[in-house]
Amino acid sequence: DESSSKKDLFNTLDEFIRVDHAGESGAVVIGEGQSLIRPSDSTIRDILNQEHGHLFTFDFQMWEKRTRPSLLLPIWYPLGYALGVFTSALGRSSAMVAHEAIEHVIVDHYSDQLRDLYQHPFKDSPELVHLSEVFSRFRDDEQHHHDLAIENHSRDSPFYSILYYGISAACHSA
């Protein structure tokens, strides 16, 4: 039935946009928390600037598609900010652990969404083609952030294991 197929397309777009908007909102507040402690760190600043661009894209998508934001955003903001401040206060390498852990989960998340879009019955619709292009570009950006974190000595943090696995578990549960 065509009306149920269109509803399925709408629900897919709505869910993906809401979830990704929440994720990019979290990335921005984490970066802002890290910037409070390390305002002159160019790597943190560059990652944050790119995350602001991702969030702007999903802000627009939410407005355009009239998608409601995640009900958990009021919780994400203070928790994300605190995570950014905390990891930066532990040291630069610990701040990088946060990026390595988060970006690993996010790269997998965008890859899963791309796989779902490629298998969707309306995969050739303009909306899904556009979203696939956005997800692909953002996945590549997040992979770059992950790699930057490793290049910037995330694995030298004395708290590497506890931070990496704790942050990864928190991301998976979100």
Side-chain angles (χ1 to χ4, degrees), residues 19-149:
V19 167
D20 293 343
H21 177 266
E24 297 299 347
S25 295
V28 165
V29 297
I30 290 165
E32 288 174 349
Q34 289 181 335
S35 292
L36 177 71
I37 304 298
R38 302 189 173 281
S40 61
D41 190 304
S42 62
T43 302
I44 290 171
R45 190 174 49 250
D46 290 347
I47 291 171
L48 178 58
N49 287 338
Q50 206 158 35
E51 298 296 3
H52 271 290
H54 295 177
L55 180 56
F56 177 80
T57 297
F58 285 113
D59 278 341
F60 180 76
Q61 289 288 320
M62 290 188 63
W63 172 80
E64 183 179 54
K65 306 279 191 258
R66 298 178 185 204
T67 299
R68 73 161 176 80
S70 170
L71 298 175
L72 298 176
L73 281 181
I75 297 168
W76 294 141
Y77 291 140
L79 290 178
Y81 196 81
L83 177 65
V85 168
F86 177 71
T87 57
S88 280
L90 290 176
R92 186 170 193 277
S93 62
S94 294
M96 292 296 118
V97 175
H99 290 287
E100 181 185 348
I102 292 164
E103 304 300 9
H104 179 86
V105 172
I106 299 306
V107 166
D108 287 348
H109 168 75
Y110 276 128
S111 294
D112 290 344
Q113 284 186 323
L114 282 164
R115 192 171 19 268
D116 290 347
L117 290 177
Y118 294 148
Q119 295 171 355
H120 197 279
F122 289 107
K123 66 183 174 195
D124 296 324
S125 72
E127 294 93 342
L128 292 189
V129 168
H130 173 72
L131 208 53
S132 295
E133 291 167 353
V134 168
F135 289 173
S136 181
R137 188 173 71 250
F138 287 4
R139 180 200 54 205
D140 294 348
D141 290 346
E142 306 299 0
Q143 182 65 53
H144 177 67
H145 300 165
H146 172 272
D147 297 346
L148 273 175

